[in-house]
Every structure is written in structure tokens, then in C-alpha cells.
């Protein structure tokens, strides 16, 4: 009897072992964003969530409350310790996270940057929301139209280290060189660090320092929403025009009352969704991040990897959409 029992026990142990070996460990993505509490990134996380249900991976997500590079490094170190399969990051400092991400890549972790890129040495692929030159151009065209192609404008950006905003601002400056903008003067670029209070104060500072200011471009969802409130609080609604990149849910009231006539954004849910599909394709070995490789991005269709011109590669997700008081009701509950 004893012998039979121990045979049964041994058989059960073998079976358990076989099951454990056969069962595939789910892929885990560690998502890092610029800061916690920003609804833009919450929408991005919804894209990861949607993709996770379709592809069957798990993901964890986090961002430092203070938008710092150091905070992101700590989160990445945690992900390396947890042995995630991929890290998908919107970086606060494109250069600042290269070293820790190289450590991750040395351990076999795939690195995909999304939204705001990491320098080429610290990533396998970048997922860009849209053609950067176009993003810069449409905002200049918009503010120029609104102020009648004449007068002072300022830019209220996120942080001075944010690669996405810096790239768009460089293209705005290039656009402003065109003869049709000869009478427009860009007086300054200020930084609200994607913190609501600081962005609000910077907008107040602009109003106080430049009495002739006609328009503001704020290419950040945090900045443009804070700027709208400051403009209203200081009684400048309609006198200082405002455009930028805004989240419909945060900008609906400001569009409805005309403080902001029009602003732009791509779909942040799609951005997270595309970054998730790219990360999984990379972990599964379907792509390595090389120019010309293609992969299936679910409901978004196929994406082809292109040369980013910075020593690395990238893909594009979608186009910016122009939101106004007329169409905002269709979008304010979406993201
Ligand atoms: C803020 C962040 C983000 C940017 C959007 C437009 O939420 O700075 O990186 O893409 O604005």
C-alpha cells in the first residue's frame, strides 16, 4: 500500500513539473510615463490595456509624480529587478535614461520609447504619435490665423528636457521663418514642466511681462489647460489667443466658451495601443527594430519601421485632429 501511494505521489509530482515547463510565462511590459496623474498618460494606459486583452500580456505602469528623470530611473531599476520583458517609456529626459536602459537591454529587456523618445543608444524603437514637422506647423498656422498674422506670441512648453516638445518647437521656429509670418514675433519660450501650478504661474508671468502679447502656443496637454484657466482668471479671454495640444476632456469648457478657439491632438489611446503592439512584436522576435521591418499593430493595421535620422528607428501612429467648440462634444468623453 505504502509503495503504491509513493508511486502515485511521484507520478503527481512529475505531472506537476511537466505542466510547469509546458505553461508559457506571460510577457510583462513595464510602462513608464512622464508623470503620474496626467490624464494624457491615463488614456495611453487604456491603449496598453486594450492591447493586453487582445494579445494576452500583462503590464505594470508608473511615472514619477514630479516629472523627474531621477524618478523615472528608479522606476526602470525596479522593472529591471522584476525582470520585465519590455520597457515602454515616454522619457522626461531623452539622454538621462540612456544608461539605465542600456543596463536593461544588456539583460535582454526590449526598450520601446513612445510619446517622448529616448536617445537612439537607449532604445530599440521609438513610437512617434505623428509627423513632428506637421505637429509644429499646424500650431503656428492656427495661432497666426487667430491673431491676424501680426503681433507677439509666446510658447508655454512642458520641461526643457522633454524631447517631444523641443522637437515640435524647433519645427515651429522653422515654420515662423516663412514670409507670411514676418509680422509675428516669438518673444519667449517658457517651461511649466508639465506641472499644473507651474504652468499656470508661467502663463500669468507671460501676461504680466508682455502687455502686447497676442497669442500663446502650448504644445502640452497640461500646459494648455493651465494656460486657459490663467487667461480666464486674469480677464484676458479673447484678448490673448490660445492654441496647442490639448486633451478634449480637459479642454471642452475652454473651447465651448471661446478661451481656446481651436487646439490639436492625436488619439493617445491609439498611441499606447501601438506602443504595446510594438513591444510585444519585439519580445516575440517578430521585429528587431531595424528599418524596413513590418509588424501587425492590431486594429491600427500594419506599421513599417523607418529611419528616425538620429541613429535609431521609429514608427508613426496617426494624425493630429483639430478640436473646436463645434466638434468637442463628440470627443470630450472619449479621452
Ligand atoms: C503632455 C505630455 C505629453 C505630450 C502631450 C501632448 O501630456 O507632455 O508628452 O505628448 O502633453
Amino acid at each position: 500500500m505504502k509503495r503504491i501511494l509513493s508511486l502515485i505521489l511521484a507520478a503527481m509530482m512529475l505531472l506537476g513539473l511537466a505542466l510547469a515547463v509546458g505553461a508559457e510565462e506571460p510577457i510583462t511590459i513595464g510602462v513608464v510615463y512622464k508623470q503620474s496623474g496626467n490624464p494624457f498618460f491615463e488614456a495611453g494606459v487604456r491603449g496598453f490595456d486594450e492591447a493586453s486583452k487582445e494579445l494576452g500580456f500583462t503590464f505594470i505602469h508608473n511615472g514619477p509624480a514630479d516629472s523627474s528623470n531621477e524618478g523615472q530611473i528608479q522606476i526602470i531599476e525596479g522593472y529591471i529587478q522584476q525582470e520585465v520583458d519590455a520597457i515602454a517609456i515616454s522619457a522626461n529626459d531623452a539622454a538621462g535614461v540612456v544608461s539605465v536602459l542600456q543596463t536593461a537591454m544588456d539583460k535582454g529587456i526590449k526598450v520601446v520609447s513612445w510619446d517622448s523618445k529616448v536617445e537612439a543608444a537607449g532604445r530599440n524603437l521609438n513610437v512617434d504619435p505623428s509627423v513632428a514637422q506637421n505637429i509644429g506647423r499646424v500650431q503656428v498656422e492656427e495661432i497666426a490665423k487667430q491673431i491676424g498674422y501680426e503681433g507677439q506670441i509666446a510658447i508655454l512648453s512642458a520641461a526643457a528636457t522633454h524631447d517631444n516638445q523641443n522637437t515640435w518647437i524647433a519645427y515651429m521656429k522653422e515654420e515662423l521663418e516663412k514670409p507670411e509670418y514676418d509680422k509675428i514675433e516669438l518673444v519667449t519660450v517658457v517651461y511649466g514642466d508639465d506641472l499644473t501650478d507651474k504652468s499656470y504661474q508661467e502663463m500669468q508671468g507671460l501676461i504680466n511681462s508682455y502687455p502686447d502679447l497676442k497669442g500663446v502656443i502650448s504644445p502640452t496637454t497640461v500646459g494648455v489647460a493651465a494656460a486657459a484657466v490663467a487667461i480666464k482668471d486674469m480677464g484676458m479671454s479673447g484678448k490673448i489667443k490660445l492654441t496647442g495640444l490639448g486633451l478634449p476632456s480637459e479642454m471642452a469648457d475652454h473651447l465651448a466658451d471661446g478661451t481656446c478657439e481651436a487646439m490639436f491632438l492625436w488619439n493617445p489611446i491609439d498611441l499606447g495601443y501601438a506602443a504595446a503592439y510594438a513591444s510585444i512584436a519585439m519580445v516575440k522576435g517578430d521585429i528587431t527594430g531595424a528599418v524596413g521591418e513590418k509588424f501587425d499593430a492590431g486594429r491600427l493595421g500594419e506599421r513599417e519601421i523607418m529611419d528616425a535620422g538620429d541613429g535609431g528607428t521609429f514608427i508613426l501612429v496617426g494624425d493630429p485632429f483639430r478640436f473646436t467648440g463645434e466638434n468637442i462634444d463628440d470627443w470630450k468623453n472619449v479621452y
Side-chain angles (χ1 to χ4, degrees), residues 192-265:
D193 293 347
D194 265 353
L195 302 171
T196 297
D197 289 353
K198 179 145 197 274
S199 305
Y200 180 92
Q201 282 155 18
E202 291 294 339
M203 184 65 227
Q204 280 187 321
L206 287 175
I207 296 172
N208 291 329
S209 310
Y210 299 95
D212 294 329
L213 193 67
K214 293 278 177 299
V216 170
I217 300 175
S218 187
T220 137
T221 59
V222 180
V224 75
V229 177
I231 288 174
K232 260 191 253 190
D233 286 354
M234 291 183 80
M236 299 306 280
S237 201
K239 295 185 193 114
I240 294 180
K241 305 289 188 179
L242 174 68
T243 194
L245 303 174
L247 205 60
S249 54
E250 294 187 305
M251 290 300 287
D253 290 348
H254 310 307
L255 284 162
D257 69 20
T259 303
C260 175
E261 280 175 32
M263 54 96 191
F264 303 85
L265 198 68

Side-chain angles (χ1 to χ4, degrees), residues 34 38 40-41 115 164-165 168 194 219-221 245 265-266:
K34 284 180 175 178
N38 178 348
F40 175 87
F41 292 112
D115 180 60
N164 52 348
Q165 271 88 14
W168 301 327
D194 265 353
T220 137
T221 59
L245 303 174
L265 198 68
W266 44 90

Side-chain angles (χ1 to χ4, degrees), residues 14 47 53 67 82 158 234 292:
L14 271 177
K53 290 186 177 114
S67 285
Q82 290 175 63
M234 291 183 80

Side-chain angles (χ1 to χ4, degrees), residues 21 34 42 44 97 108 113-114 133 157 172 187 191 197 213 219 260 270 316 332:
V21 170
K34 284 180 175 178
E42 284 163 11
V97 282
S113 59
W114 60 288
Q133 187 171 13
S157 190
M172 287 180 206
V187 289
Y191 299 91
D197 289 353
L213 193 67
C260 175
D270 289 355
L316 288 170
K332 65 181 185 193

